[in-house]
């Protein structure tokens, strides 16, 4: 089983602050995804990073894939209450029979307060 | 276009009872997945399917069975529920790199 550890597990910050969430593994992934999940709903894909060292920006969110494709980070600038939710990273690996599977991280619960 | 739907949304079972969770998708996706989500453990893959009539085991398949008789439906069965199966269950279907998740089923086994 390929494990993905996320840190921190919980994060409570004030509106306007910056934060970084980390996703680490000892395994190499073909790609890495970040999802956000709100209470009572399923996760929704935010971004997919494929190339080692790749950086993607989605408005105030910046995602980076480690050079060795084993780790990733999510940085949020000037957090807003609407950013509140559970953030999950997921590493993809190729199945021998085709297709892929995702291994999900342990999750980071973010709360942004006014 | 409803995406991925799951029924039921909530269920309470007694130990030893059986039940089936239904997942349906209207996006014509080949790949479908069943996950369980427990606090502090992220989502763990139970079973998956790469197409109609095919299923395969994931990370935590024990105590569960699945069937994919029709492309749009993926059923998850619990033959004899145990308290350890108390969890939130998510179904997903996949197109290219993106998985689309249903809203989840919250199952409690007493």
């Amino acid at each position: 089983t390929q494990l993905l550890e996320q840190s921190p597990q919980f994060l409570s910050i004030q509106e306007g602050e910056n934060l970084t969430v980390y996703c680490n593994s000892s395994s190499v992934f073909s790609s890495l995804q970040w999802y956000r999940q709100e209470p009572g709903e399923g996760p929704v894909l935010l971004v997919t990073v494929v190339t080692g060292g790749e950086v993607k920006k989605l408005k105030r969110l910046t995602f980076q894939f480690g050079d060795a494709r084993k780790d990733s980070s999510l940085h949020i600038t000037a957090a807003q209450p609407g950013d509140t939710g559970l953030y999950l990273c997921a590493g993809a690996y190729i199945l021998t029979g085709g297709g892929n599977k995702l291994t999900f991280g342990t999750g980071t619960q973010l709360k942004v307060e006014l | 276009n409803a995406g991925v739907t799951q029924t039921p949304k909530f269920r309470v079972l007694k130990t030893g009872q059986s039940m089936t969770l239904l997942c349906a998708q209207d996006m014509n996706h080949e790949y479908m997945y069943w996950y369980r989500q427990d606090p502090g453990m992220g989502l763990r893959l139970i079973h998956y399917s790469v197409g109609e009539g095919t299923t395969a085991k994931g990370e935590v398949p024990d105590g569960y069975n699945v069937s994919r008789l029709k492309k749009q439906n993926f059923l998850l069965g619990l033959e004899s529920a145990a308290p350890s199966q108390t969890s939130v269950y998510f179904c997903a279907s996949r197109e290219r790199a993106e998985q689309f998740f249903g809203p989840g089923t919250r199952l409690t086994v007493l």
Side-chain angles (χ1 to χ4, degrees):
Chain A
T1 302
Q2 296 161 292
L3 300 176
L4 275 168
E5 295 289 334
Q6 284 185 239
S7 62
Q9 188 175 359
F10 300 98
L11 193 54
S12 181
I13 62 173
Q14 298 295 312
E15 182 181 16
E17 292 184 13
N18 301 332
L19 67 115
T20 302
V21 176
Y22 298 94
C23 174
N24 295 292
S25 174
S26 58
S27 301
V28 176
F29 294 102
S30 60
S31 64
L32 194 136
Q33 298 181 329
W34 284 92
Y35 289 79
R36 189 172 89 186
Q37 184 180 15
E38 300 194 14
E41 298 181 8
V44 176
L45 180 67
L46 295 174
V47 77
T48 301
V49 284
V50 179
T51 306
E54 182 177 1
V55 176
K56 279 192 174 179
K57 291 191 174 184
L58 186 65
K59 296 183 180 178
R60 294 175 295 101
L61 279 62
T62 301
F63 305 86
Q64 185 162 8
F65 201 10
D67 291 340
R69 304 205 326 272
K70 293 182 179 181
D71 55 84
S72 182
S73 64
L74 158 61
H75 182 80
I76 301 179
T77 303
Q80 299 177 0
D83 295 327
T84 293
L86 178 67
Y87 289 82
L88 295 159
C89 64
Y93 56 99
I94 306 298
L95 298 168
T96 52
N100 71 15
K101 286 200 297 184
L102 293 178
T103 294
F104 280 84
T106 47
T108 295
Q109 184 66 55
L110 171 65
K111 183 176 182 180
V112 182
E113 299 183 276
L114 292 169
Chain B
N1 193 340
V4 179
T5 58
Q6 293 182 234
T7 53
K9 291 188 176 181
F10 303 93
R11 186 73 185 268
V12 178
L13 291 179
K14 294 181 180 179
T15 296
Q17 287 185 318
S18 63
M19 78 163 293
T20 300
L21 282 68
L22 172 63
C23 175
Q25 53 100 0
D26 61 2
M27 298 174 283
N28 203 36
H29 292 167
E30 292 290 342
Y31 295 85
M32 296 187 74
Y33 307 82
W34 274 108
Y35 295 90
R36 59 177 290 172
Q37 185 174 36
D38 303 291
M41 302 187 73
L43 281 85
R44 292 182 292 169
L45 183 64
I46 305 171
H47 286 280
Y48 64 98
S49 169
V50 300
E52 181 178 317
T54 72
T55 63
K57 294 181 180 180
E59 303 170 50
V60 289
D62 294 343
Y64 304 96
N65 57 75
V66 288
S67 64
R68 183 99 182 267
L69 298 179
K70 292 183 178 181
K71 186 177 183 178
Q72 63 267 34
N73 296 336
F74 195 26
L75 278 63
L76 177 70
L78 286 73
E79 291 187 348
S80 180
S84 61
Q85 293 177 304
T86 292
S87 188
V88 182
Y89 291 86
F90 287 98
C91 174
S93 68
R94 184 174 72 86
E95 179 181 30
R96 297 177 185 171
E98 182 173 359
Q99 291 197 14
F100 296 84
F101 286 83
T105 294
R106 184 174 293 275
L107 175 65
T108 301
V109 183
L110 303 175

